[in-house]
Amino acid sequence: MTDLFALNGRNAIVTGGAQGIGEAIVLGLRDAGARVFICDVNPDTGRASAERHGVEFVAADVTDPDSVDAAFEHVVSAGGSVDVAVNNAGIVHNHPSEDLDPADWRRVMSVNLDGVFYSCRAAGKRMLAQGSGSIINTGSMSGHISNRPQPQSAYNAAKAGVIHLTKSLAGEWAARGVRVNSVSPGYVGTELTKRGLSNEEWRRTWIDGTPMNRVAEPGEIAPAVVFLASDASSYCTGTDLVVDGGYTVW
């Protein structure tokens, strides 16, 4: 059974992999045996994280389809294939919707939804050509519910789009050997979330709304990604695996 979770001999790329949830995913894939490439828009942060964890780095801006395509081509050139693609890069912007600047809306959509599509397309082209591969997109429980008390309509809409994009691509590519799934975390103790937790009203609402009465650690999200990357999930495609401490059950 343990062998089903092994990723030995597989090449994996993680966008937004230099820190937070992405960094934990990089470690999970590495420890499962994969050759991992951190893909990040910030070369200094990305290279430092790659060196710290003994993995490789490739730069890309997920909002630029040519940049994304070049990053995936680099993985294939270096490793011979791209077997696992984790499309994790994302941002959040909290602002009342009635005053939301169109540029802020567009920025969130550009990173969180357009960037996932560009990354899926780049991975899909190469995986379809080789007849195999696993794509895992980072969704969010925010794609299922509307968070409170913070206003974040753009983020919520983008993550709902990621979940449905995942299902759409899964249906298109399943018969040709490529699986597409997503993981939807709840509140996770990253630097981004910790800033929100410093707001007492937000912290109280978030924690009280989570049946497990705490936020997750990034390392608690990574095993779900390893599962979906591995042969242990060989009959899973179009699945959205919610890892939220029970938040969406109420």
Side-chain angles (χ1 to χ4, degrees):
M1 179 66 72
T2 303
D3 290 346
L4 290 175
F5 294 88
L7 297 173
N8 303 86
R10 302 185 198 185
N11 298 301
I13 181 171
V14 182
T15 69
Q19 56 192 342
I21 293 173
E23 184 177 20
I25 290 169
V26 166
L27 295 177
L29 296 172
R30 181 203 66 183
D31 292 349
R35 178 180 180 180
V36 184
F37 294 78
I38 289 177
C39 180
D40 204 89
V41 69
N42 187 320
D44 293 333
T45 303
R47 286 195 183 94
S49 185
E51 290 175 7
R52 187 165 62 250
H53 299 310
V55 299
E56 298 172 64
F57 173 73
V58 57
D61 176 354
V62 297
T63 68
D64 178 352
D66 291 335
S67 177
V68 171
D69 203 61
F72 277 81
E73 188 58 31
H74 173 81
V75 173
V76 173
S77 296
S81 64
V82 56
D83 306 295
V84 177
V86 183
N87 302 319
N88 171 75
I91 60 172
V92 67
H93 184 71
N94 300 115
H95 197 85
S97 296
E98 67 271 23
D99 297 321
L100 184 61
D101 190 299
D104 292 329
W105 170 274
R106 187 62 256 154
R107 177 63 179 163
V108 171
M109 288 294 171
S110 183
V111 175
N112 291 12
L113 184 55
D114 298 351
V116 171
F117 172 72
Y118 297 147
S119 299
C120 283
R121 184 176 63 176
K125 285 179 180 179
R126 292 158 178 83
M127 291 177 177
L128 290 167
Q130 66 197 30
S132 65
S134 177
I135 298 170
I136 304 101
N137 297 323
T138 300
S140 173
M141 69 175 185
S142 304
H144 294 275
I145 52 93
S146 178
N147 301 67
R148 61 186 181 93
Q150 74 275 24
Q152 53 181 52
S153 61
Y155 182 85
N156 296 351
K159 290 301 185 178
V162 167
I163 293 167
H164 207 62
L165 173 65
T166 298
K167 295 178 183 295
S168 299
L169 296 177
E172 284 191 46
W173 295 344
R176 290 184 281 170
V178 178
R179 298 187 296 112
V180 190
N181 295 288
S182 56
V183 171
S184 284
Y187 292 114
V188 182
T190 63
E191 289 304 313
L192 189 64
T193 305
K194 286 175 182 176
R195 289 199 292 272
L197 289 168
S198 67
N199 181 313
E200 180 57 26
E201 179 192 5
W202 292 17
R203 188 199 68 77
R204 186 173 60 252
T205 303
W206 294 359
I207 299 300
D208 289 349
T210 304
M212 293 185 74
N213 205 39
R214 65 178 179 86
V215 299
E217 292 300 321
E220 293 181 287
I221 308 303
V225 176
V226 173
F227 165 68
L228 291 172
S230 74
D231 292 342
S233 62
S234 60
Y235 201 55
C236 293
T237 198
T239 296
D240 181 54
L241 183 51
V242 179
V243 187
D244 67 351
Y247 193 97
T248 55
V249 304
W250 286 342

